[in-house]
Amino acid sequence: MEKVKVIIMGLGAMGGGMADMLLKKQGVEIVGVVGRGKMLGTSMYDHISTPRGDREDVIVGAMEDVITEKAADVVLLCTDSFTRKAFDKIKFIVEKKINVISSAEEMAYPMAQEPELAKEIDRLAKENGVSVLGTGINPGLIMDLLVILMTGCCEEVHSILSRRVNSLSPFGPAVMEEQGIGITVEEFNKGVQEGTLAGHVGFHESIGMIADAIGWKLSAPITQSMEPIVTDVDRKSPYGFAKAGNVAGCAMKGFGYVDGELKIEMDHPQQIEPEQVGVQTGDYVIINGVPNINMVNSPEVPGGIGTIAMCVNMIPQIINARPGLHTMIDLPVPRAIMGDFRDLISEEAKIVK
Amino acid sequence: MEKVKVIIMGLGAMGGGMADMLLKKQGVEIVGVVGRGKMLGTSMYDHISTPRGDREDVIVGAMEDVITEKAADVVLLCTDSFTRKAFDKIKFIVEKKINVISSAEEMAYPMAQEPELAKEIDRLAKENGVSVLGTGINPGLIMDLLVILMTGCCEEVHSILSRRVNSLSPFGPAVMEEQGIGITVEEFNKGVQEGTLAGHVGFHESIGMIADAIGWKLSAPITQSMEPIVTDVDRKSPYGFAKAGNVAGCAMKGFGYVDGELKIEMDHPQQIEPEQVGVQTGDYVIINGVPNINMVNSPEVPGGIGTIAMCVNMIPQIINARPGLHTMIDLPVPRAIMGDFRDLISEEAKIVK
């Protein structure tokens, strides 16, 4: 069998990390990279951690030049957070008869926020005989798939609390800005009111995925809240700085109601340097049910590595899947790939034979 | 759509618990129960916790009378621990063109201990257009599927430790005997030497499932060890009693090697009344990798409820699956079913239309 052929679209922190990860794996190769602006014509190896060594070079190209019909088995699309912004790219790729894995948060469960686009993606994928999946660490695993898995050993579920207390310190300037790191409380509150602070994107997706998976019908629109985490001491991370009295993080909560009762709660405080002030980071799954579940992974799975690994590790599942739009709840569980990628691929599902 | 129709074979603690659970659910009904000896001709409700009320009665019958062609969508087979002992029953059921979920520990990954029988079950299932799955709490979830899921957010996995520290107090006389509760250390050691103490069945299955899932080739046969947990104080559970100085539990370990290196370790001490001596029970997933995972669910998922829930909750997945022998790693994740079972079933996969 030919090696599994991957195109990476968007060579930022996520796409670049996926390239580095793929270069360590067997039975898989990067056959193209899509970028834009000044990156066009440069070597992929100029933008990632792995040195080129004696590998064949991969030159960053424009979408139309790199993504041609059946040029790869899968495109890892790492450019957006929102389905609406990713849609045209997904359409372009599936019409070239290539599978897609998107790291866009909304694509983890696009039926939550963009049901019409989700239907259209499903239709386009089926028409072209390929599959589309959105995944990542969150949404994608920690605050949804892991929760759903643990309900699997429950006879009854009364309510769910998913909590992710994580550090933003490893992240770069874009995340610092999205989360309001270093700004004043007044600026933060203004950003919340005006909708300019992004915070975490994913509660609609995680809550929607859990509710649909276990058969709860949400009786009201999902709501969320956003509060500043104000620091008492100066905190400094590689790309962020918060003076005492200013904002060191963004605490978000999300709420899903069934028959007027709060059934699914998300609690996700994100901040730089939590250890400095004695905050223990971790991922928590707390299920009030039969039996109760009281699970913690501490420290938390780091967001960057986790998203990179989830997107790469789902490559076999999305190649093997029946054509259409998929989500993490209808595919076999993600797993690390320590052997040859080809051992995991069905012959008949391979695009580049 | 007709309700999902279930036959339960074996109405012991597990089968009986599944009946109680199913009776609380929507869109599913128990259409038959298979038993033997004195149970034949009695009402199912004489053997379970749920009162009959004004429900139609279900009379326990012999296998040949209850399991007729397409009499149900699935049989929950709760009679054995070993594939070899369950095989004839599985063959009988699939030849009647009904899907099977087995709680037999070895059936969670029958290719580990019985590769020939596994192939034959796969062949028979495909020939008859139905699916077969073995599952439970362990093997089935805690020491394998959950571990595998968490490797899904890892770029690399160096080694795995799965630990389950659980209480045997809720279990009945059969488990007390299998685990050597109350016997002397000499009797325990003799039982280990002569192979008469069963202990935990499942390490071959869990280690085999993890290794295959992440692409590690085991370089040596899986080994395991079995030590008595000797109590310093008298311990008493509803069905067990261990005098100070005698055996209150059975500590098993399992070892999977890759290229001569210990890569997968299982640690599973089981005892009555662990709280009495300050032992904190819990399920642990410890992955040495990129990133590290350090997860605990405490207290542990109780074995009985967990197995009952896993078998019932996988009903939609096994009805929808393509024909053949399946395992937890090739099906969508288990989840609680709080809505109508029929909402989860594909029309074309339903057996009793």
Side-chain angles (χ1 to χ4, degrees), chain A residues 131-144:
Chain A
S131 313
V132 177
L133 171 71
T135 193
I137 196 68
N138 182 34
L141 178 63
I142 296 297
M143 296 187 89
D144 36 49

Side-chain angles (χ1 to χ4, degrees), chain A residues 150-189:
Chain A
M150 291 312 296
T151 70
C153 63
C154 295
E155 294 189 6
E156 299 285 341
V157 176
H158 306 312
S159 64
I160 289 169
L161 169 59
S162 170
R163 173 175 289 138
R164 178 163 161 84
V165 183
N166 66 323
S167 172
L168 292 175
S169 290
F171 290 91
V175 170
M176 295 304 121
E177 200 185 316
E178 283 163 21
Q179 303 283 342
I181 306 305
I183 64 179
T184 64
V185 175
E186 292 67 38
E187 288 167 331
F188 186 97
N189 291 334

